[in-house]
Amino acid sequence: DLVGASSDGYNRVPEELRGPLDIPSDWESYFGRVRTDVAFSPDAHGYLTASYSSNNITAGTPLSHHDRDILDVLVGADIANVAGGSLGFKAFYQDQNYDVWNTSYTNSSKTQEYVSNFVATPINDMGGSLQWSRAGGMHLPLLTVGVDARIISADANRQNYNAKAIPTTTQDTGRDKNSLDLFVQASWVPVPRLEGPLALLGLEGN
């Protein structure tokens, strides 16, 4: 799949206040996705999905704009007849970059501008899960055991500039978050016509 769209946008500055560098905030967007499925055996199937999106927006002047690019990858497999049940595996990865160019005018007549700061915000998100499920037991007609893991990393890096395009100060922030979840879910039937859910969840992360 491949989809694209664009717009000439509109001028956000009232006509009586516009200068030579006040232009419409146009934008363009693109998205593409591919998927493939594989049968390893009658009981084992796998898949791979990848997508990429790009969004670019002009912020009202020739030098000011916002760009966002996202890459997503998902891979998984399902295997039947594993210890009397089915086994499922998934792993994902996302790489996201959001870049912003902010500008300022060098004079009140709005005839010149410069990039006053550039902000880069990279975000990485990855993880996976492994899950085993069984159906058909007398007292436990449905039983699921699994584990989920996830790692998220996000940063915001800002570089400031003066009117001569010379770097001045920087501001960097960031945070990482990791998690590991263990879970057990079951449908419990102690006697016929009486069914209740059971769940056990263990969490670990920072």
Side-chain angles (χ1 to χ4, degrees), residues 63-65 100-104 114-120 157-162 168-169 171:
L63 295 181
S64 61
H65 55 101
V100 177
W101 286 261
N102 294 309
T103 63
S104 297
Y114 67 97
V115 175
S116 54
N117 63 74
F118 167 71
V119 183
N157 307 309
R158 173 171 172 161
Q159 177 67 67
N160 298 310
Y161 299 89
N162 62 22
T168 55
T169 59
Q171 296 170 280

Side-chain angles (χ1 to χ4, degrees), residues 142-163:
L142 179 62
L143 175 64
T144 300
V145 181
V147 57
D148 290 324
R150 190 172 187 179
I151 301 173
I152 303 176
S153 176
D155 295 292
N157 307 309
R158 173 171 172 161
Q159 177 67 67
N160 298 310
Y161 299 89
N162 62 22

